[in-house]
Amino acid sequence: MSLTVNRRHFLSLAAAGASLPLTSRIAFGQTSPFTMQAAWINDAEFAGYFLAIDRGYYADEALDLTYLSGGPDVIPESTLVAGRADLALTTPDTTIKAITDQGAPFKIVGAQYQKNPIGIVSLASNPITSPQDLVGKTLAVPPVNVISVEAMLAINGIERSAVNIVPYAYDPTPLIQGEIDASLDFTTNVPYTIAQAGAEATSFLLYDFGFTIYNDTVVVTQEALAEKRDQIVAFLRASRRGWEENFADPDYVPSIADTWFAGTGRSIENEVYFNQAQQPLMETPNGIFSMSEEDIEANIEAMAAVGITATREMFDTTLLEEI
Amino acid sequence: MATDRMPGWVRGLLYTLALLVLWEGVGQLRLVAGGALPPPTAIALRLFADWADYPNHILATIQGASIGFVIGNAIALAAGVLFVLFPVTSRVARGLNVAIYALPPIAISPILVLTLSGMAPRVVLAAIGCYFVTMTATVVGLSQTDARAVDVVKAYGGSKWAVLRLVQWRSALPSILSGLRIAAPNAVLGAILAEFGGGGRWGLGVYLLGSLGRGEPDRLWGIGLMATAIAAFAYLAFAVAANAITGTTQAVTVPSSVAKAADRDRPVWQNATIAAASVALPFGVWMLLIWALGVPAMLAKSPAGLFEYLFLMPNSPVAQERLLAALAQTLPMTLIGMVAGLAMALGLALASQIYPAIVRAFMPIALVTQTMPLVALTPLLVLMLGRGYSLILWVTISVTFFPAFVTMAQGLILVPRAALEVPRAYGAGILTQLRLVSLPASLPYLFAATRLTVPRALLGVMIAEWLATGTGLGNLLNQSRGYLDYGMIWTVAVVSVLISVAFYQIVVVVEHRVLDRLGMASTN
Amino acid sequence: MTKGSGITLDRVSRNFDSRGRRVEALREVSLACPPGSLTALIGPSGCGKSTILRLCLGLDTPSSGSLALNGLSPADATRAGMTGVAFQDAALLPWRSVQANVALPLDVLGHSVSAHASKIAELLDLVGLKGFEKSLPGELSGGMRQRVAIARALVTAPEVLFLDEPFGALDQILRRQMNIELQRIWMETGATTLLVTHGIDEAVFLADRIIVMASRPGRIAKIIDVDLPRPRDRSMFGDPRFHALEREIAEALDGH
């Protein structure tokens, strides 16, 4: 083990010479370092964490948080396995597949989205409002999400071959131009873009048609759970505080246009729309990140539809109780 | 014709202007893909409006690309010199060299992001983009030196090093510079690819990713053209340097080709050892890197781990079936794409001899195809070409033709003047001259170009599959990432490298047969 | 004035194997060129005369037999700066000026170029290229390039000089003129010289001794001594003794 650490140390030194600040570090006196891996580039999806960093909530919990942005090539689960982060935001289906197929030592300790924001987005002029409408249509799906669509189709009794699934490369132009009939994307996000382009969007959540899973599940390794339990609870506590305050303070997201969102290429109006749209998908009477027994059961059932065998043991709700 | 009296560059400029006007008209009238091709003025206005966003992104991209460019080319130059001075090393390293060239960036980017931090993935991807072209150009340049000049130095007891210092490096300069010229856009694109996937805050790739979701082609084109401008600047710098010295490099007279005393007496067992070493080396480096990076076995598959995944696990038959199905979709397109890319390159290279001004006007477009991240063009391409074979072909041609074209054009330029004058003396037109002298004389370069094209064809097809068609190896790779199927990720990467190396090796064999029969020396 | 033992070849053979066939470029050739002499090698293409020269320069190694230049092996002699060479093609480096091309052997041998500046100027004057010091080879005529090559061959003040058809590419008039100049230069330097040539008149005009070679296998057919007085001038080309020697060589070349 120590050999691994030394090699890593050597390589990070070698890389340090050429590194730009990719991470934001908030340093305070007696704090423990803690690294989180986000699921995507900086957008409103992570506004609660940004607020908690900006207002020192992690520091209040004695955490020195390093925030790692995500991207298309960043597989958050891999970052955990490689030991480069203590905690990651993931999609639950891939996480559980990693546990069952690869024996990855993960535990899901919380869920940011009670309802997965992923949905089927189409134009109001050529509306697709239910899975049945997809038959015979062309649907663009990011290849990493094909598994979710297959699950939703299976749950609704639709043949996989009845839908023409093509890759989706994050650009809604083909949808707006009618080259494809629908795309799979965050419903909290794309409808805004489509409206900007002068069209009207309609969408439905996979969640509402039986694919009842969380998203941005909070995942840690069993090793971290054993060694850093207090810090993980502290992280959840500070993050929940950040999210609650973010939803209570509509001025926060616009205020970070030139800090967290600087240079992302997205417009601040888009982030405001996103932030409002995601609120109902995240809020729950038991507090942000909660995982109720019924919802966990629903997740397990939904995943069973595509042959992913999730079990209750993969979810650990005891940390939430300590918040 | 009046245009005949204009200097070449004026005509080139006129053609470029004509192209711009045409583009503007097409864009304004929304003739292509319902307006997915924005007019140049819209792109310029948008660039102006977004300008405040750019400086940080540009700086980050230039930083990553130029560090990678320097490191990659330094290694490439050193390796090229080593290969020429000690030819055995070149044969031992051949497998590794081709493997590096054939590494699909879309497959290794996630692995790099996983194992390195900060700027390192960008630097590595940029450096990998430079290594092979510059190394090849160095070897070609050093080994195509005028043998008579080498004899003069050796006649005074000059060592290999003296020959290198006094004759070879200087006569290789144009070739090296043309290598650097191709390497520059590669470095920029490599850095941008790593930025796109790697989750940093700055870099044109990051900006592109954030901008994709807006569905605004003028923004995407602005970012792509900015990347092009950076690459074009480097490209032009090397092109100007190469032009300045080519005239004083070309041999003044025709070398009476003295057939090199070929090294054919090597015993069979030695050849076999070298071939085995060449195959073993990439695997050795692969295992060494996994060890050095300390990546957990779950993520990083060793050759043994991959064998287990493909043949010994309960799921192995399924994995094999998926792999074979993907190969059946990808391989035929790769062969077609290879031929199309080469044809395009040869056509352009010949046209550059016959209609130099038109080709010069085409160069900006050619450069755009090399530096414009394909993901930014995907909506346009999909809208224009659909998601079928024509799109795969288009992407493959655009990924392959450029290095081949530059290499071929270089070969045609270096044909000795005196040799061209023989057919001209008999009243031959330019076409006869090309057929009788230029093409045969530059045959070693044509083969070098083929070697450059062949491994990239597979890459082109995989990118198209990944971005648009959702078929074949490219799609298999991307879906495997979604399933965290590390075994399949590595399988696709390794299989694609093996196929590319196999194609490359076939070209090498054909090349040696043909050139031997013609009594010419290979550039390899 | 000259020291050493000149050029000696002792039963030198050189075979080339290609595509399963063996070509005997030289078979058991023995030859001794005394110090200070000028020996011409003449013969049909493929008789091995250029091979002898390449062997003497260490550019190639014999299959059997041995060679010596002033008692040293070719490799040692060339490395000691004892030799000079001019090839049929000037083989100038196109990016070096006339001056820098002449200085090339100095660079190879690690001698100071600046210390030889006046020597280089003198040589360029000797070959009639004064005023062209800074020109590039591409800007010169064929004859001028060849004269640069001669100057380059002389820059190390060689004790042994090899000339491989140095004027092969020049026209007859220029060639005769160059022959006269070469004789003058050679007499000034006193170098032991081996001249490979196609030209019968050139061989007779310049050489003390002419080695007529035959091919398949490459071997010495006849040795003809030339005892014409030196310096030989232009009128020598019309001398009856000159014509007699020319006829003798031509007959030897025809196999008589």
Side-chain angles (χ1 to χ4, degrees):
Chain A
M1 189 64 214
S2 71
L3 190 62
T4 312
V5 171
N6 286 340
R7 287 195 300 264
R8 181 170 309 292
H9 183 61
F10 166 76
L11 285 164
S12 60
L13 276 182
S19 74
L20 268 189
L22 287 173
T23 57
S24 318
R25 230 163 218 288
I26 290 89
F28 269 88
Q30 290 301 311
T31 54
S32 11
F34 194 83
T35 304
M36 75 170 286
Q37 172 67 61
W40 199 244
I41 55 171
N42 293 2
D43 61 15
E45 187 179 346
F46 313 105
Y49 309 104
F50 299 150
L51 185 145
I53 293 170
D54 283 350
R55 302 196 178 162
Y57 298 162
Y58 295 110
D60 289 351
E61 300 284 344
L63 288 182
D64 174 9
L65 185 77
T66 300
Y67 177 92
L68 300 176
S69 309
D73 289 340
V74 180
I75 307 169
E77 289 92 339
S78 303
T79 316
L80 287 183
V81 173
R84 295 160 63 89
D86 300 302
L87 177 147
L89 301 176
T90 72
T91 34
D93 39 352
T94 46
T95 302
I96 286 166
K97 222 172 143 44
I99 299 174
T100 57
D101 293 3
Q102 318 274 338
F106 295 147
K107 283 274 189 217
I108 299 172
V109 299
Q112 177 178 322
Y113 289 113
Q114 301 296 314
K115 283 182 160 191
N116 190 346
I118 283 180
I120 304 290
V121 182
S122 55
L123 298 183
S125 54
N126 175 23
I128 290 173
T129 54
S130 73
Q132 276 68 32
D133 292 351
L134 281 169
V135 173
K137 295 292 171 66
T138 298
L139 172 66
V141 183
V144 295
N145 294 114
V146 168
I147 190 171
S148 307
V149 173
E150 285 171 352
M152 183 267 294
L153 292 175
I155 291 164
N156 289 279
I158 297 166
E159 283 289 311
R160 163 72 172 77
S161 57
V163 182
N164 178 26
I165 296 182
V166 296
Y168 179 56
Y170 317 108
D171 188 330
T173 304
L175 176 63
I176 296 167
Q177 297 275 349
E179 192 260 335
I180 53 173
D181 300 303
S183 66
L184 183 86
D185 208 325
F186 267 43
T187 54
T188 47
N189 197 16
V190 194
Y192 173 83
T193 313
I194 292 173
Q196 286 304 104
E200 197 192 332
T202 182
S203 67
F204 67 84
L205 291 176
L206 300 191
Y207 191 96
D208 292 335
F209 285 87
F211 193 55
T212 48
I213 68 164
Y214 296 135
N215 204 352
D216 281 353
T217 32
V218 183
V219 174
V220 296
T221 61
Q222 287 171 7
E223 194 187 341
L225 199 56
E227 291 169 8
K228 298 189 165 183
R229 186 183 177 91
D230 292 348
Q231 291 166 35
I232 297 166
V233 172
F235 171 85
L236 288 171
R237 190 181 300 125
S239 301
R240 177 181 284 179
R241 206 173 149 198
W243 275 114
E244 283 166 353
E245 208 162 298
N246 167 53
F247 288 133
D249 176 4
D251 293 333
Y252 175 69
V253 166
S255 77
I256 56 171
D258 293 326
T259 56
W260 288 104
F261 297 145
T264 59
R266 295 160 54 84
S267 74
I268 193 64
E269 294 77 15
N270 193 350
E271 306 299 358
V272 170
Y273 175 93
F274 193 142
N275 197 37
Q276 285 167 355
Q278 71 184 346
Q279 190 169 353
L281 304 176
M282 283 176 66
E283 282 184 338
T284 149
N286 304 320
I288 306 277
F289 297 124
S290 294
M291 300 190 292
S292 70
E293 290 303 325
E294 305 83 71
D295 285 348
I296 292 175
E297 188 52 39
N299 268 272
I300 293 172
E301 274 176 30
M303 281 185 255
V306 271
I308 301 175
T309 335
T311 62
R312 176 63 181 81
E313 288 70 49
M314 296 171 185
F315 300 82
D316 186 343
T317 54
T318 58
L319 289 89
L320 292 163
E321 289 157 17
E322 292 171 32
I323 297 180
Chain B
M1 266 168 54
T3 51
D4 281 347
R5 264 174 269 127
M6 281 183 220
W9 66 270
V10 174
R11 255 192 295 166
L13 200 67
L14 280 181
Y15 288 127
T16 309
L17 275 176
L19 271 174
L20 274 176
V21 170
L22 184 72
W23 178 5
E24 180 70 27
V26 166
Q28 290 291 356
L29 298 171
R30 307 176 76 83
L31 291 178
V32 174
L37 176 67
T41 49
I43 298 169
L45 286 174
R46 185 59 192 262
L47 196 62
F48 185 70
D50 293 337
W51 183 244
D53 286 346
Y54 275 94
N56 277 331
H57 292 307
I58 291 175
L59 276 179
T61 297
I62 289 181
Q63 193 188 357
S66 51
I67 297 172
F69 183 81
V70 169
I71 293 176
N73 287 317
I75 296 173
L77 281 171
V81 169
L82 179 78
F83 297 156
V84 170
L85 287 186
F86 308 101
V88 172
T89 58
S90 141
R91 293 179 55 194
V92 170
R94 183 184 292 160
L96 184 64
N97 286 333
V98 185
I100 291 175
Y101 184 59
L103 280 177
I106 52 175
I108 56 169
S109 178
I111 294 169
L112 288 175
V113 167
L114 204 65
T115 48
L116 303 169
S117 54
M119 288 290 272
R122 307 169 175 200
V123 169
V124 172
L125 219 50
I128 287 177
C130 297
Y131 172 78
F132 191 83
V133 273
T134 304
M135 186 276 293
T136 309
T138 308
V139 171
V140 169
L142 291 177
S143 44
Q144 296 278 300
T145 308
D146 190 342
R148 301 162 299 176
V150 173
D151 274 352
V152 172
V153 173
K154 284 191 180 160
Y156 286 95
S159 62
K160 281 178 175 184
W161 291 103
V163 172
L164 181 70
R165 180 170 59 88
L166 293 167
V167 183
Q168 283 179 300
W169 86 265
R170 180 55 182 74
S171 72
L173 258 187
S175 173
I176 293 174
L177 285 170
S178 87
L180 294 178
R181 204 158 54 159
I182 314 172
N186 282 2
V188 175
L189 198 59
I192 289 179
L193 262 174
E195 289 163 4
F196 185 84
R201 289 272 329 252
W202 303 108
L204 288 173
V206 182
Y207 193 46
L208 177 64
L209 176 63
S211 303
L212 273 181
R214 302 174 69 117
E216 292 168 342
D218 49 355
R219 161 78 74 85
L220 302 185
W221 276 86
I223 299 169
L225 290 180
M226 191 51 69
T228 304
I230 297 171
F233 182 77
Y235 179 95
L236 283 177
F238 290 113
V240 167
N243 269 346
I245 62 166
T246 299
T248 54
T249 307
Q250 223 170 350
V252 185
T253 52
V254 191
S256 44
S257 66
V258 181
K260 271 190 189 169
D263 203 8
R264 289 188 197 293
D265 327 329
R266 210 190 285 275
V268 175
W269 68 267
Q270 273 190 19
N271 279 324
T273 312
I274 290 170
S278 165
V279 173
L281 190 61
F283 290 92
V285 170
W286 171 8
M287 296 199 291
L288 185 74
L289 279 180
I290 288 182
W291 175 82
L293 293 168
V295 191
M298 189 185 132
L299 305 183
K301 299 288 180 213
S302 65
L306 218 54
F307 183 82
E308 191 189 352
Y309 173 83
L310 272 181
F311 297 103
L312 305 178
M313 304 283 280
N315 262 339
S316 293
V318 181
Q320 286 178 22
E321 197 184 311
R322 291 172 65 207
L323 181 66
L324 291 178
L327 281 173
Q329 287 175 320
T330 301
L331 281 183
M333 281 318 291
T334 305
L335 289 173
I336 298 170
M338 228 178 256
V339 174
L342 271 178
M344 171 84 176
L346 182 59
L348 260 184
L350 291 179
S352 72
Q353 296 282 302
I354 306 170
Y355 311 108
I358 291 181
V359 173
R360 226 172 292 145
F362 174 77
M363 284 323 285
I365 298 178
L367 257 182
V368 170
T369 64
Q370 296 312 292
T371 51
M372 190 85 173
L374 277 165
V375 65
L377 287 180
T378 304
L380 176 68
L381 293 178
V382 162
L383 289 166
M384 279 169 53
L385 304 167
R387 294 177 189 265
Y389 298 130
S390 48
L391 182 128
I392 296 183
L393 243 133
W394 177 285
V395 171
T396 308
I397 290 174
S398 96
V399 166
T400 51
F401 87 92
F402 193 71
F405 160 65
V406 175
T407 309
M408 287 178 185
Q410 179 73 14
L412 289 175
I413 287 172
L414 287 180
V415 174
R417 283 174 249 168
L420 289 174
E421 278 159 11
V422 177
R424 205 180 290 159
Y426 290 93
I430 182 102
L431 283 175
T432 314
Q433 198 176 309
L434 282 172
R435 183 169 57 84
L436 291 178
V437 180
S438 301
L439 273 181
S442 54
L443 214 52
Y445 286 86
L446 292 186
F447 275 111
T450 309
R451 277 186 270 126
L452 283 177
T453 306
V454 160
R456 288 184 76 87
L458 180 62
L459 177 63
V461 173
M462 284 174 67
I463 292 176
E465 291 171 338
W466 169 58
L467 284 174
T469 66
T471 55
L473 277 186
N475 195 54
L476 181 59
L477 174 68
N478 214 6
Q479 284 200 353
S480 307
R481 282 159 55 180
Y483 299 153
L484 294 190
D485 188 349
Y486 297 104
M488 189 55 88
I489 296 176
W490 283 84
T491 299
V492 172
V494 171
V495 165
S496 63
V497 169
L498 288 179
I499 291 171
S500 300
V501 173
F503 281 138
Y504 185 94
Q505 208 52 41
I506 291 170
V507 178
V508 168
V509 170
V510 174
E511 174 178 5
H512 279 288
R513 288 266 163 83
V514 173
L515 292 186
D516 264 5
R517 196 177 306 156
L518 297 174
M520 295 172 107
S522 161
T523 58
N524 182 8
Chain C
M1 176 174 172
T2 49
K3 51 188 187 308
S5 49
I7 305 166
T8 53
L9 280 74
D10 185 19
R11 281 167 297 153
V12 169
S13 299
R14 178 67 173 105
N15 306 319
F16 292 101
D17 293 316
S18 88
R19 302 185 188 211
R21 275 188 311 138
R22 165 160 292 198
V23 178
E24 286 185 276
L26 289 177
R27 180 193 280 177
E28 303 258 320
V29 171
S30 294
L31 178 67
C33 308
S37 66
L38 198 160
T39 306
L41 286 176
I42 194 163
S45 302
C47 68
K49 53 190 191 302
S50 286
T51 305
I52 290 182
L53 197 116
R54 292 180 65 82
L55 291 169
C56 286
L57 286 165
L59 293 174
D60 195 1
T61 45
S63 305
S64 66
S66 64
L67 304 91
L69 309 180
N70 283 351
L72 297 178
S73 74
D76 290 339
T78 52
R79 230 168 281 141
M82 196 183 277
T83 57
V85 61
F87 292 109
Q88 171 181 16
D89 186 283
L92 304 178
L93 299 182
W95 54 85
R96 282 183 168 230
S97 68
V98 163
Q99 230 171 12
N101 261 297
V102 173
L104 180 71
L106 303 172
D107 282 328
V108 177
L109 294 164
H111 296 171
S112 157
V113 174
S114 55
H116 285 75
S118 61
K119 168 95 183 172
I120 292 167
E122 204 178 290
L123 283 170
L124 286 175
D125 194 18
L126 185 71
V127 298
L129 284 174
K130 204 178 178 138
F132 290 94
E133 293 85 353
K134 305 282 180 207
S135 304
L136 290 175
E139 299 159 359
L140 304 179
S141 71
M144 291 160 94
R145 286 201 285 265
Q146 215 51 46
R147 281 186 272 174
V148 177
I150 300 282
R152 182 179 63 192
L154 295 172
V155 74
T156 56
E159 293 165 30
V160 186
L161 183 60
F162 297 97
L163 304 170
D164 187 0
E165 300 181 36
F167 311 125
L170 305 187
D171 63 75
Q172 181 77 356
I173 299 165
L174 195 55
R175 194 166 164 168
R176 287 211 165 163
Q177 195 182 320
M178 292 296 294
N179 284 340
I180 295 164
E181 284 183 41
L182 181 62
Q183 177 188 232
R184 173 177 59 84
I185 295 165
W186 169 71
M187 289 179 73
E188 278 181 36
T189 61
T192 311
T193 302
L194 190 64
L195 168 75
V196 171
T197 181
H198 272 308
I200 298 176
D201 61 335
E202 182 169 89
V204 175
F205 184 80
L206 286 169
D208 298 318
R209 206 155 53 118
I210 295 167
I211 315 291
V212 180
M213 297 193 64
S215 56
R216 273 180 244 151
R219 64 194 187 278
I220 295 175
K222 193 170 188 183
I223 298 180
I224 298 164
D225 284 311
V226 182
D227 47 5
L228 302 172
R230 291 193 193 269
R232 300 163 189 166
D233 60 15
R234 195 174 292 276
S235 64
M236 184 60 77
F237 288 111
D239 194 294
R241 286 173 296 174
F242 191 93
H243 291 302
L245 281 162
E246 278 188 321
R247 205 171 310 118
E248 189 181 351
I249 294 167
E251 281 167 3
L253 285 171
D254 283 341
H256 296 292

